[in-house]
Amino acid sequence: MNEIMKVIKSRRSVRKFSDEQIKQEALDVLLEAGMYAPSAAGKQARHFTVVQTQQVLDEIALEAKKIYRSSNSAFLQDLGSNEAFHPFFHAPTVIIISGEINSIAPNSDCAVAAQNIMLAAESLQIGSCWISAAAIITQTEEGKKIIKNLGLPEGYAPFNSIALGYKETERPNAPPRREGMVTYLP
Ligand SMILES: Cc1cc2nc3c(=O)[nH]c(=O)nc-3n(C[C@H](O)[C@H](O)[C@H](O)COP(=O)(O)O)c2cc1C
């Protein structure tokens, strides 16, 4: 199997991290991977915020859990009410990926950057997990205040975030892929 396929197939969401901070050299690689993702019309209308201060992550986490508690989903309500649940899983580093709200495809621009970062992380044996919390808090006034403190460029908002850290867990095997996901047109 070629190297990129090995990385794609071995990456899994990691939700248990050691306290050790990831090395700056590795972080630089991850940010570069994010910046080199494709973007709609090549606009690169993305911004990466590196958060290594737990207090900032705690603030986002509290607001996200509040939103989860008032959602219609029983799964999210349970998570929001679970004292032990921290949406960022105490990762030592989180990269919040923001896009320009009025650009062509900010959600997709941020998603492809996120995947590049997660694959680059796996290639460096760094665990990663996509976390929706930073995007979800854009829904409330309180959340918007928290985001304002991130100092994003004007007109930008978070679309996703990636928790990163050295893995403190075994990598579970990926479940088999669903059947019937491909159609060849004659
Ligand atoms: C759009 C999107 C949102 C996600 N949000 C979260 C999240 O908020 N918290 C979390 O723990 N995982 C989140 N994930 C990770 C998925 O749960 C995970 O990718 C999925 O269970 C498959 O597992 P794998 O990544 O190990 O293959 C998200 C993934 C995607 C693509």
Side-chain angles (χ1 to χ4, degrees):
M1 203 186 302
N2 76 36
E3 289 307 310
I4 188 82
M5 281 309 292
K6 272 190 214 157
V7 172
I8 287 172
K9 293 186 82 173
S10 63
R11 182 217 56 82
R12 304 301 317 286
S13 294
V14 170
R15 299 183 177 87
K16 200 162 191 290
F17 303 97
S18 81
D19 292 337
E20 187 186 348
Q21 187 50 274
I22 60 174
K23 295 183 179 51
Q24 184 62 44
E25 200 183 36
L27 184 54
D28 290 342
V29 172
L30 303 186
L31 290 166
E32 194 175 17
M35 287 189 256
Y36 270 82
S39 62
K43 297 283 186 202
Q44 300 179 40
R46 281 185 288 248
H47 192 82
F48 301 89
T49 307
V50 178
V51 188
Q52 295 182 317
T53 312
Q54 284 304 316
Q55 193 200 328
V56 175
L57 298 176
D58 289 348
E59 262 184 356
I60 299 173
L62 270 180
E63 186 60 20
K65 285 179 75 172
K66 207 168 84 189
I67 295 168
Y68 289 163
R69 283 197 296 278
S70 61
S71 91
N72 294 328
S73 146
F75 173 73
L76 290 179
Q77 284 170 17
D78 281 354
L79 282 181
S81 314
N82 181 347
E83 287 267 316
F85 170 69
H86 194 291
F88 294 103
F89 304 103
H90 308 288
T93 292
V94 171
I95 301 178
I96 298 175
I97 309 177
S98 301
E100 194 180 358
I101 300 163
N102 291 326
S103 64
I104 302 170
N107 203 347
S108 306
D109 283 352
C110 293
V112 285
Q115 180 69 352
N116 264 19
I117 290 173
M118 292 189 290
L119 292 178
E122 177 63 25
S123 77
L124 299 174
Q125 276 86 50
I126 291 171
S128 69
C129 188
W130 177 308
I131 308 291
S132 303
I136 279 168
I137 67 164
T138 56
Q139 294 171 15
T140 62
E141 286 313 311
E142 201 52 47
K144 285 187 184 128
K145 279 188 213 150
I146 297 169
I147 289 162
K148 204 167 172 38
N149 290 334
L150 298 177
L152 296 177
E154 193 57 34
Y156 279 62
F159 281 83
N160 60 57
S161 56
I162 307 297
L164 295 155
Y166 296 110
K167 305 171 194 178
E168 207 172 63
T169 171
E170 288 300 305
R171 178 170 55 82
N173 287 329
R177 301 295 98 176
R178 288 167 55 185
E179 300 279 338
M181 286 200 282
V182 179
T183 302
Y184 284 93
L185 292 185

